[in-house]
Amino acid sequence: MKFFTLTAAACSVVSCVQGSAISGAIKHEALNALVDVELVRRAAPVSPQGYTPSEVDCPSSGVSVRLATALSQNETEWISRRRSATIQPMRDFLSRMNISEFDAGQYIDDNSNNESAIPNIGLAFSGGGWRALLNGAGVLKAFDSRTNNSTAPGHMGGLLQSANYIAGLSGGNWLVGSIYMNNFSTVDALQASPTVWQFDNSIIEGPPTGGIQILDIAQYYAALLSQVDGKRNAGYDASLTDYWGRALSYQLINATDGGPAYTWSSIKLSEAFQNGEQPFPISIAVARPPGEIVINLNSSVYEFNAFEMGTWDPTTYGFFSTEFLGTNLTNGVVNDGARCTVGFDSASFVMGTSSSLFNTLILGLNDSSLNIPDALRQAVSSIVQGITADEDDIADYEPNPFFGWNPTGNSYNHEATSLSLVDGGLDNQNIPLHPLIQPARQLDVIFANDNSADTSTNWPNGSSLVQTYARQFEPIGNGTAFPYVPDTNTFINLGLNNRPTFFGCDASNISSSYSNTPPIIVYLPNAPYLTMSNQPTVTLETNNTYRDAMIANGYEVATMANGTLSGYENWPQCVGCVILSRSFDRTGTTVPQACQQCFQQYCWDGTLNSTTPETYNPPLKLQAVNVQSSAAAPGGLASMSLMGLAIAVSTAALVL
Ligand SMILES: *[C@@H]1O[C@H](CO)[C@@H](O)[C@H](O)[C@H]1NC(C)=O
Ligand SMILES: *[C@@H]1O[C@H](CO)[C@@H](O)[C@H](O)[C@H]1NC(C)=O
Ligand SMILES: *[C@@H]1O[C@H](CO)[C@@H](O)[C@H](O)[C@H]1NC(C)=O
Ligand SMILES: *[C@@H]1O[C@H](CO)[C@@H](O)[C@H](O)[C@H]1NC(C)=O
Ligand SMILES: *[C@@H]1O[C@H](CO)[C@@H](O)[C@H](O)[C@H]1NC(C)=O
Ligand SMILES: *[C@@H]1O[C@H](CO)[C@@H](O)[C@H](O)[C@H]1NC(C)=O
Ligand SMILES: *[C@@H]1O[C@H](CO)[C@@H](O)[C@H](O)[C@H]1NC(C)=O
Ligand SMILES: *[C@@H]1O[C@H](CO)[C@@H](O)[C@H](O)[C@H]1NC(C)=O
Ligand SMILES: *[C@@H]1O[C@H](CO)[C@@H](O)[C@H](O)[C@H]1NC(C)=O
Ligand SMILES: *[C@@H]1O[C@H](CO)[C@@H](O)[C@H](O)[C@H]1NC(C)=O
Ligand SMILES: *[C@@H]1O[C@H](CO)[C@@H](O)[C@H](O)[C@H]1NC(C)=O
Ligand SMILES: CC(=O)N[C@H]1CO[C@H](CO)[C@@H](O)[C@@H]1O
């Protein structure tokens, strides 16, 4: 059955490699040579057979699993380049924050020859479907000095250029993934793009017709099927997550057919990444033990970065090369004479894994209101039939790279031939803090944008922070300290879920016996500034006017209305202060008066009010923007029930 033929017309040297243009396995060396053809490199479509993984000769230096005792050699070398590259942007940024009677530029200059003295910043974007993608995009846009006017007084541009790490989870990782797969593009450019971020067509219906994308809904599904068939026919297990990830990529990756050949590890090939000109992106997923359905605080958190995939948790405590995922390993090494797999780490599969909660949406194509040929509908049904309800939300990583490895330390999955990963938010740690609080990464401050739907009204209530706080006291916490946070009722009663709050200001007051100093968490909860930004998690489509309104709202969340919100005019200088706080401690610098006032105002002071609050319905903070503009595409938000997808999303969706 062949519904769809790849058109090679518009492809570049590298992207022509996808599909059947080059058949069979390609040597790894040849692949690298091919990538080098592009003078200015970016995350790239390097998988030799598109979405289908390929076997190549293993690199002569070998590939193996390593213990998670420290940062990888590659990350260690990379972070040093990144830290040098952030000094000037950080100097400029902190000067613009204009801390009263303090010369931040001079401070950075005085300490610039000692990288461990200067601030180490991370950014974290929570899950929450398209709501998280869009609000998160507004926050990221505000932090990006490339955004027009973002370096004007009251704005926050330059924080992205000063940050070393950026982590995304589920919807938050659609944001991070889309930025990195599209050459570290700006949010402005993605909004302006006619080919991606067009959410007026739902993922069920496929991309708008024309342009670089394919023609109609039937061809869209035929393409998804044939891409995933290719992986299966090559001998790799496929799960619903494969279809889901492919579908997502049509919205997120600016390339023909959603760029089936783009890999997550190709981020490391980008020249700008190699030069340390961008933060280090990390995607999060959670492991589901073999044969179990329960996911809780004791579930292992896995990360995918450009170099490695694995977990810091003592359940497995190991990392393997992201590029060579799919390789058959035993005891952490490649079996004698075996070859290595590349292309398994498809960017779409990684983005799909982090958001696997949504992958049952793909089942929606059984909706009889959609104009899909019966033959296609049947083909899809037969494929999804074999997938049981218990397993429809997993992403299958088979072969499991940790099979047989470290049997004493890895009690958890050394006997499993397959590693099952699920949506990063399913353990209720919906903000991807886990990779950023690891002592090895030595972060000072994390800007944590929370777009969770914790309350019945789809607003956050700090639940994710409460979970991460609790985890440190479990064996799985493994020495990873986290600051004190209050209960979720207190978050609402004190308004901590409605405005930025700092947790962990006092480095000496930590909640566990662990010796490391946790970073300060700058909590940036979703709140309504310009529009009611609490659309349901499973919203499937939205017009561009509303999309842009959500992004504009996120901009205000980050900047507190560009430092104009009454009572919070000092927000920019307080952001400067909180970034410098741990550095002041290390260098023994007297905290400036203005910063002391900031900490008084924004640090949670330990007050509790745990009374059960009324239904949380916050008012708009600013004048509403008009979302009825005629410039927008027709159509409003499609609801789940309209799509006949009620079966699709488990109750867990309500909290993400
Ligand atoms: C910096 O703050 C001072 C007041 O402390 C103000 O007079 C000055 O205009 C500010 N500069 C900028 C660039 O915002
Ligand atoms: C670098 O800074 C750290 C922290 O401030 C300090 O402990 C260390 O002594 C400094 N190293 C040098 C060479 O100045
Ligand atoms: C940013 O400013 C430039 C120069 O003024 C302009 O050409 C461009 O259209 C602006 N972009 C946006 C998204 O406003
Ligand atoms: C940037 O500022 C200029 C001058 O205030 C204004 O005309 C323009 O619309 C602003 N651009 C954006 C994208 O906000
Ligand atoms: C990626 O972006 C950089 C910086 O904007 C640009 O110089 C380069 O040409 C872009 N590369 C590709 C392959 O689009
Ligand atoms: C999308 O790709 C087109 C064609 O390569 C390019 O011109 C455009 O700048 C890209 N847009 C984004 C947002 O990356
Ligand atoms: C680490 O860097 C070396 C040298 O660039 C490279 O050969 C190797 O593949 C990298 N390892 C990973 C896991 O990316
Ligand atoms: C992986 O290697 C083991 C040991 O050589 C072998 O038994 C198994 O069949 C291999 N699995 C795959 C998927 O090739
Ligand atoms: C904040 O800045 C953004 C981007 O320049 C602008 O669109 C928005 O209207 C500003 N908000 C306020 C409240 O001034
Ligand atoms: C605690 O919060 C409730 C709102 O849920 C409020 O009515 C009450 O006054 C608060 N108590 C104190 C002591 O502030
Ligand atoms: C865009 O979507 C919003 C939210 O559903 C809706 O209120 C608005 O009417 C829509 N605008 C247009 C022009 O369709
Ligand atoms: C700080 C700490 O307790 N680290 C431990 C984390 O888990 C690994 C594997 O069990 C131990 O080796 C570390 O000592």
Side-chain angles (χ1 to χ4, degrees):
M1 193 159 38
K2 192 164 173 143
F3 292 95
F4 173 73
T5 351
L6 193 81
T7 50
C11 62
S12 70
V13 173
V14 168
S15 60
C16 273
V17 177
Q18 68 194 25
S20 54
I22 296 183
S23 57
I26 290 187
K27 291 202 175 209
H28 191 237
E29 286 73 9
L31 181 59
N32 277 339
L34 199 55
V35 171
D36 283 338
V37 168
E38 271 201 320
L39 291 177
V40 183
R41 286 167 294 168
R42 48 172 288 197
V46 295
S47 174
Q49 300 185 86
Y51 193 66
T52 302
S54 307
E55 288 192 355
V56 299
D57 290 343
C58 294
S60 48
S61 53
V63 291
S64 56
V65 176
R66 69 169 184 95
L67 281 169
T69 36
L71 295 186
S72 67
Q73 184 66 29
N74 286 15
E75 184 176 339
T76 304
E77 287 164 12
W78 181 90
I79 191 67
S80 172
R81 285 197 294 280
R82 176 62 184 162
R83 295 198 80 156
S84 312
T86 57
I87 288 176
Q88 190 60 42
M90 198 185 306
R91 187 190 193 286
D92 296 346
F93 174 77
L94 291 172
S95 303
R96 283 196 298 272
M97 295 305 102
N98 196 17
I99 301 169
S100 295
E101 292 168 39
F102 178 75
D103 189 342
Q106 189 63 50
Y107 179 82
I108 295 296
D109 289 345
D110 290 348
N111 291 286
S112 63
N113 59 350
N114 183 355
E115 76 176 30
S116 68
I118 66 171
N120 187 352
I121 305 170
L123 309 177
F125 291 93
S126 83
W130 279 271
R131 179 187 63 245
L133 168 66
L134 297 177
N135 264 299
V139 171
L140 192 68
K141 180 173 174 172
F143 289 164
D144 189 344
S145 60
R146 298 172 300 173
T147 304
N148 280 358
N149 297 355
S150 71
T151 53
H155 294 242
M156 298 277 146
L159 187 46
L160 178 65
Q161 282 69 26
S162 306
N164 291 329
Y165 290 93
I166 180 168
L169 182 157
S170 199
N173 195 50
W174 303 344
L175 168 66
V176 173
S178 190
I179 299 277
Y180 278 82
M181 285 307 125
N182 296 319
N183 194 26
F184 201 63
S185 57
T186 60
V187 169
D188 266 339
L190 292 165
Q191 282 176 272
S193 167
T195 50
V196 284
W197 287 40
Q198 296 299 316
F199 305 117
D200 48 341
N201 273 50
S202 88
I203 208 146
I204 302 300
E205 296 164 78
T209 56
I212 59 168
Q213 306 296 9
I214 47 169
L215 293 173
D216 63 24
I217 190 164
Q219 287 173 310
Y220 170 58
Y221 279 104
L224 298 183
L225 289 178
S226 102
Q227 289 159 4
V228 179
D229 269 353
K231 177 173 177 179
R232 197 180 271 116
N233 293 340
Y236 297 88
D237 236 36
S239 44
L240 263 192
T241 304
D242 290 273
Y243 299 100
W244 167 241
R246 288 308 313 136
L248 261 181
S249 300
Y250 282 80
Q251 293 190 339
L252 302 177
I253 301 182
N254 181 24
T256 306
D257 295 337
Y262 281 75
T263 62
W264 193 256
S265 59
S266 73
I267 291 168
K268 72 181 176 185
L269 301 174
S270 142
E271 194 173 32
F273 175 81
Q274 287 172 359
N275 293 340
E277 290 163 19
Q278 311 161 350
F280 193 79
I282 303 175
S283 172
I284 286 298
V286 170
R288 198 172 75 171
E292 284 183 30
I293 299 176
V294 177
I295 294 160
N296 56 31
L297 268 192
N298 283 320
S299 303
S300 305
V301 177
Y302 278 71
E303 71 171 59
F304 291 79
N305 64 55
F307 301 123
E308 292 189 321
M309 175 272 201
T311 180
W312 299 95
D313 288 337
T315 44
T316 295
Y317 203 58
F319 284 98
F320 180 63
S321 159
T322 306
E323 178 181 4
F324 294 110
L325 278 171
T327 301
N328 191 7
L329 308 176
T330 306
N331 305 328
V333 296
V334 183
N335 300 326
D336 263 353
R339 303 182 80 204
C340 281
T341 297
V342 294
F344 189 97
D345 69 318
S346 154
S348 62
F349 192 47
V350 172
M351 290 192 278
T353 300
S354 186
S355 62
S356 74
L357 174 67
F358 296 84
N359 66 14
T360 46
L361 293 182
I362 282 297
L363 297 174
L365 87 170
N366 279 325
D367 186 329
S368 56
S369 70
L370 295 176
N371 182 24
I372 303 173
D374 278 349
L376 176 59
R377 204 188 298 277
Q378 277 159 20
V380 174
S381 301
S382 68
I383 282 166
V384 298
Q385 241 163 29
I387 300 171
T388 68
D390 287 355
E391 288 183 338
D392 60 11
D393 63 345
I394 63 161
D396 202 356
Y397 285 74
E398 184 171 357
N400 167 18
F402 305 103
F403 174 72
W405 180 73
N406 186 17
T408 48
N410 178 22
S411 56
Y412 171 72
N413 68 13
H414 80 277
E415 287 180 342
T417 53
S418 168
L419 171 64
S420 304
L421 298 181
V422 296
D423 194 292
L426 282 174
D427 65 351
N428 287 338
Q429 299 188 92
N430 201 30
I431 310 175
L433 295 171
H434 184 270
L436 305 179
I437 59 176
Q438 294 306 317
R441 291 203 165 110
Q442 299 180 351
L443 283 156
D444 291 333
V445 58
I446 303 171
F447 288 80
N449 177 220
D450 192 0
N451 295 303
S452 304
D454 298 324
T455 70
S456 60
T457 47
N458 297 327
W459 298 106
N461 68 6
S463 174
S464 175
L465 297 183
V466 172
Q467 294 291 320
T468 303
Y469 169 78
R471 199 174 194 264
Q472 71 186 309
F473 304 109
E474 303 290 325
I476 204 166
N478 198 29
T480 307
F482 192 74
Y484 280 110
V485 295
D487 59 278
T488 56
N489 286 348
T490 295
F491 265 91
I492 295 180
N493 291 332
L494 301 187
L496 306 178
N497 66 334
N498 189 245
R499 61 167 186 269
T501 306
F502 304 160
F503 296 98
C505 292
D506 182 354
S508 63
N509 182 16
I510 61 167
S511 38
S512 60
S513 55
Y514 303 135
S515 52
N516 70 299
T517 305
I520 299 179
I521 307 297
V522 177
Y523 185 56
L524 298 174
N526 179 22
Y529 281 80
L530 300 171
T531 194
M532 297 312 282
S533 50
N534 58 335
Q535 62 177 36
T537 303
V538 288
T539 299
L540 291 176
E541 59 180 87
T542 184
N543 58 60
N544 284 353
T545 311
Y546 190 63
R547 175 197 70 181
D548 295 345
M550 291 280 284
I551 293 173
N553 193 76
Y555 198 103
E556 310 289 10
V557 165
T559 60
M560 298 198 87
N562 308 325
T564 65
L565 200 67
S566 175
Y568 301 97
E569 292 88 349
N570 61 354
W571 175 237
Q573 26 176 343
C574 295
V575 166
C577 291
V578 76
I579 287 172
L580 286 161
S581 178
R582 292 283 192 258
S583 173
F584 286 156
D585 290 347
R586 283 197 296 271
T587 58
T589 303
T590 308
V591 177
Q593 186 64 38
C595 290
Q596 291 180 29
Q597 280 166 15
C598 287
F599 298 149
Q600 200 111 54
Q601 182 175 351
Y602 294 94
C603 294
W604 174 58
D605 64 1
T607 306
L608 295 174
N609 176 352
S610 310
T611 352
T612 306
E614 304 275 293
T615 306
Y616 178 64
N617 276 313
L620 268 188
K621 291 173 190 262
L622 306 173
Q623 171 128 38
V625 291
N626 178 14
V627 291
Q628 310 299 337
S629 146
S630 57
L637 303 172
S639 74
M640 280 288 294
S641 53
L642 182 70
M643 289 296 182
L645 300 180
I647 46 140
V649 177
S650 71
T651 47
L654 301 173
V655 301
L656 293 184

